[in-house]
Amino acid sequence: MDSDDDRGAGAGCGPAPAAEAREDAPTPHEASPPVGGMAGLSLPYQLIAAVALAAFGVLACTQVAMVFLHVAPSNTLTKQHGAAVDEWVYPEFEQNWKLFAPNPLQQNVAVQVRTEVAGPDGPHTMPWRDLSAEDGRAIRGNLLPSHVQQNELRRAWDFYVGSHDDKNRANGLRGTLSEKYVRRLVMLRLGASHDGQTVLRIQVRSEVRAVAAPEWSDEKISTSPSYRVLPWWKITADDLPEDAAGSEEAGQ
């Protein structure tokens, strides 16, 4: 028979391996969180996303560089690649200021027109018509004015002034283009006839008034108008809207 010591030793030693086995048993792995972002995509989609991000980055950097060169003072890059910069910027991203010399408008410029019409007693001249004032009335009180109402006439006049000298002589190919643009824009507003009388010629002018100084300023600024009057332009079928030109040709 076994002695008490042997039984005790056996009894004491028996449970120990089981306890050690329980302590050493591996615990279940916790579920790993899902991988997000590009890392969660398959390899082909990761490549597509990387290419798209790279293309967007290149486009954004190109846009910033082109606009910077457009507004920066003349330098070697703009002299060598000015045409490429202009093609990128115009007309969507044009800026009306220079980087180191801002030129906010300090004048109110109104574009006006008068017509010569073929009356029953011969040609006669109609009074001046303020097209800018008409645009202003259309904008005033309008919560969502259109781009045409706000900028079309103003930009057309700026285009003409920038491509002509003080004597209204074109200083390049853009001068002829600006004249045609202004004529077509004005005739789009006027129509081919006035009170049933055919428009023969038009004359455009600008009325410029300096913005008055604020009440708190001691600065003295003259707000008297100054005018820039263009020569009379003969109206042809090319200057008329398509529907008006078609009806006039049919009448002839």
Side-chain angles (χ1 to χ4, degrees):
M1 294 181 64
D2 295 334
S3 63
D4 293 337
D5 293 336
D6 293 336
R7 290 196 298 270
C13 294
E20 290 178 0
R22 286 196 298 270
E23 291 178 359
D24 296 337
T27 57
H29 292 289
E30 296 182 358
S32 58
V35 180
M38 290 181 58
L41 301 175
S42 61
L43 181 59
Y45 286 104
Q46 287 183 1
L47 295 176
I48 295 174
V51 171
L53 288 175
F56 180 79
V58 171
L59 181 62
C61 293
T62 303
Q63 170 69 11
V64 172
M66 288 295 188
V67 174
F68 176 83
L69 291 174
H70 176 66
V71 301
S74 179
N75 54 71
T76 304
L77 285 176
T78 55
K79 291 178 181 178
Q80 293 180 351
H81 307 288
V85 173
D86 289 344
E87 288 180 2
W88 181 278
V89 170
Y90 290 110
E92 288 83 2
F93 309 112
E94 181 179 2
Q95 307 293 316
N96 191 34
W97 52 277
K98 298 299 181 182
L99 184 62
F100 300 108
N103 58 337
L105 293 177
Q106 298 179 350
Q107 298 173 326
N108 290 319
V109 181
V111 179
Q112 303 169 349
V113 62
R114 64 177 177 177
T115 60
E116 183 183 85
V117 297
D121 300 328
H124 62 280
T125 303
M126 304 299 293
W128 288 101
R129 175 176 169 179
D130 196 331
L131 301 180
S132 296
E134 294 176 4
D135 284 352
R137 287 192 294 269
I139 294 172
R140 195 170 294 111
N142 188 347
L143 296 179
L144 298 172
S146 69
H147 178 76
V148 171
Q149 292 171 331
Q150 297 179 80
N151 297 315
E152 183 181 47
L153 185 62
R154 178 182 62 83
R155 295 297 299 120
W157 183 253
D158 288 345
F159 182 25
Y160 177 89
V161 172
S163 56
H164 288 74
D165 59 20
D166 295 338
K167 295 182 179 180
N168 298 318
R169 294 177 300 193
N171 52 24
L173 297 177
R174 289 168 60 89
T176 303
L177 178 63
S178 68
E179 292 177 10
K180 292 181 179 180
Y181 182 54
V182 171
R183 283 203 303 271
R184 292 180 180 180
L185 178 59
V186 169
M187 293 310 298
L188 184 64
R189 306 285 185 96
L190 299 180
S193 61
H194 179 80
D195 293 337
Q197 304 174 86
T198 302
V199 176
L200 302 176
R201 299 191 302 169
I202 62 171
Q203 187 175 35
V204 182
R205 74 176 183 182
S206 65
E207 180 185 270
V208 181
R209 295 176 182 267
V211 176
E215 297 179 356
W216 47 263
S217 175
D218 296 331
E219 188 178 3
K220 303 298 181 182
I221 299 177
S222 175
T223 57
S224 299
S226 61
Y227 296 93
R228 177 171 180 169
V229 183
L230 307 188
W232 283 96
W233 286 332
K234 184 179 179 180
I235 298 303
T236 65
D238 292 337
D239 301 321
L240 301 177
E242 292 183 0
D243 54 348
S247 60
E248 183 165 307
E249 290 175 359
Q252 293 177 354

